Amino acid sequence: MKIGTQNQAFFPENILEKFTYMKKMGFEAFEIDGKLLVEHVDEVKAAIRETGLPVSTACGGYDGWIGDFIEERRLNGLQEIERILEALAEVGGKGIVVPAAWGMFTYRLPPMVSPRSKEGDFKAVSESLLYLDKVAGRTGTKVYLEPLNRYQDHMINLLAEARHYIESNQLQNVEIIADFYHMNIEEDGISEALHEQRDKIGHIHVADNHRYQPGSGALDFRKHFDQLKKDGYDGYLVFECRVRGEDPEAEYQKALKHLQNCLA
Ligand code: LER
Ligand code: MN
């Protein structure tokens, strides 16, 4: 397993400097914003060449969810995700992380009534995934379907629900991304869910229970990593977290050391 990171506000803005900074900190991959990648493919390629730090995946950077309520936005999202997958193929990235939607609707806050039926949700997300499954096949990439917690998305909250989409639609290039923060809210047990879905998990996001940096909260990373090792997971663990503390850079470095120790 290799540890990567998304961008952070305290990282340098310039692309080559950003790659150099992450590499120096000890990260082994970068999960890039899709828009940043598409708009700067050549610069990203040069930074990978120069630093040896790969782009593992992309996350975000497109307009319109695969399960968008608005059809025009859903279709726009698909087009933009297609461009991101093509750019990922160019730079050697594995694939893109996509939730059904993020922040579009939740059953858990008023008005608590969805403008679309569950059947309508399933149809929209399935149509999107069937389309992207082909794009991923053509570009040699993967689509990592991400369950989010109930307050961020109403369609896919459990790893098992992501599996249901993959199996019902017989998708060949769609896998599950397991995000420890969302799992801590939704799953009965993180290790148990990782084990049950082991044949479909292709990517992982890490944060502690409150979504601050790993090691600052209550999650037992060693236990969950041991489970992943037993199940033969050999993908990335990508930091997707907020950073709490007076010196974010020092806290981030400490969190990386913590996860490296838990992996050792
Ligand atoms: C959002 O909370 C999240 O986990 C991201 O990975 C969105 O895809
Ligand atoms: Mn995530």
Side-chain angles (χ1 to χ4, degrees), residues 126-144:
S126 293
E127 277 177 18
S128 295
L129 290 173
L130 283 160
Y131 180 81
L132 293 177
D133 193 50
K134 289 202 188 74
V135 177
R138 169 172 71 74
T139 52
T141 58
K142 297 281 181 219
V143 172
Y144 298 112

Side-chain angles (χ1 to χ4, degrees), residues 146 179 205 211 240:
E146 183 173 42
D179 180 316
H205 279 167
R211 213 174 214 178
E240 185 188 53

Side-chain angles (χ1 to χ4, degrees), residues 64 70 88 124 133 158 168 170 181 189 193 223-224 228 248 257 259:
I70 300 167
L88 278 168
D133 193 50
L158 295 167
S168 313
Q170 299 180 339
Y181 162 69
K223 173 185 166 196
H224 305 317
L228 287 168
K257 287 264 143 38
L259 288 201

Side-chain angles (χ1 to χ4, degrees), residues 6 59 97 146 148 177 179 182 205 211 240:
Q6 293 185 349
C59 185
V97 172
E146 183 173 42
L148 303 184
I177 177 233
D179 180 316
H182 298 299
H205 279 167
R211 213 174 214 178
E240 185 188 53

Side-chain angles (χ1 to χ4, degrees), residues 22-238:
M22 292 181 289
K23 171 98 181 181
K24 188 156 168 268
M25 242 189 178
F27 285 103
E28 296 164 285
F30 181 34
E31 179 164 287
I32 196 168
D33 173 83
K35 188 165 194 273
L36 181 73
L37 172 63
V38 166
E39 289 178 356
H40 301 275
V41 184
D42 290 336
E43 225 179 310
V44 170
K45 262 194 220 162
I48 295 170
R49 220 175 20 245
E50 187 96 2
T51 61
L53 187 81
V55 163
S56 54
T57 34
C59 185
Y62 54 89
D63 241 352
W65 305 113
I66 64 167
D68 216 290
F69 288 148
I70 300 167
E71 185 64 1
E72 195 177 338
R73 283 181 52 86
R74 185 180 73 84
L75 296 176
N76 186 69
L78 294 184
Q79 275 185 15
E80 292 187 4
I81 293 169
E82 183 164 6
R83 278 199 288 277
I84 296 170
L85 287 175
E86 284 164 356
L88 278 168
E90 266 196 68
V91 304
K94 286 175 57 176
I96 187 169
V97 172
V98 291
W102 179 53
M104 187 175 73
F105 174 73
T106 169
Y107 286 117
R108 300 273 58 90
L109 293 169
M112 289 171 153
V113 179
S114 173
R116 190 170 63 194
S117 66
K118 290 199 194 263
E119 293 71 30
D121 287 342
F122 191 80
K123 186 166 176 283
V125 173
S126 293
E127 277 177 18
S128 295
L129 290 173
L130 283 160
Y131 180 81
L132 293 177
D133 193 50
K134 289 202 188 74
V135 177
R138 169 172 71 74
T139 52
T141 58
K142 297 281 181 219
V143 172
Y144 298 112
L145 184 58
E146 183 173 42
L148 303 184
N149 75 72
R150 68 196 73 171
Y151 304 102
Q152 296 193 4
D153 172 52
H154 69 291
M155 292 175 272
I156 306 178
N157 302 133
L158 295 167
L159 303 196
E161 292 168 345
R163 168 184 285 275
H164 180 58
Y165 274 95
I166 295 170
E167 289 184 342
S168 313
N169 294 299
Q170 299 180 339
L171 303 169
Q172 303 302 309
N173 304 298
V174 178
E175 296 177 353
I176 303 172
I177 177 233
D179 180 316
F180 278 31
Y181 162 69
H182 298 299
M183 291 178 76
N184 183 57
I185 297 171
E186 296 296 336
E187 306 284 350
D188 289 343
I190 292 179
S191 283
E192 290 76 3
L194 291 172
H195 179 64
E196 273 162 30
Q197 308 302 334
R198 60 194 176 282
D199 58 319
K200 294 283 181 229
I201 296 174
H203 193 57
I204 291 179
H205 279 167
V206 283
D208 222 309
N209 59 296
H210 41 26
R211 213 174 214 178
Y212 287 104
Q213 68 273 19
S216 66
L219 290 192
D220 186 346
F221 286 97
R222 185 181 293 279
K223 173 185 166 196
H224 305 317
F225 292 173
D226 283 351
Q227 184 64 58
L228 287 168
K229 276 189 211 163
K230 276 188 210 144
D231 289 333
Y233 177 75
D234 67 349
Y236 288 101
L237 304 163
V238 169

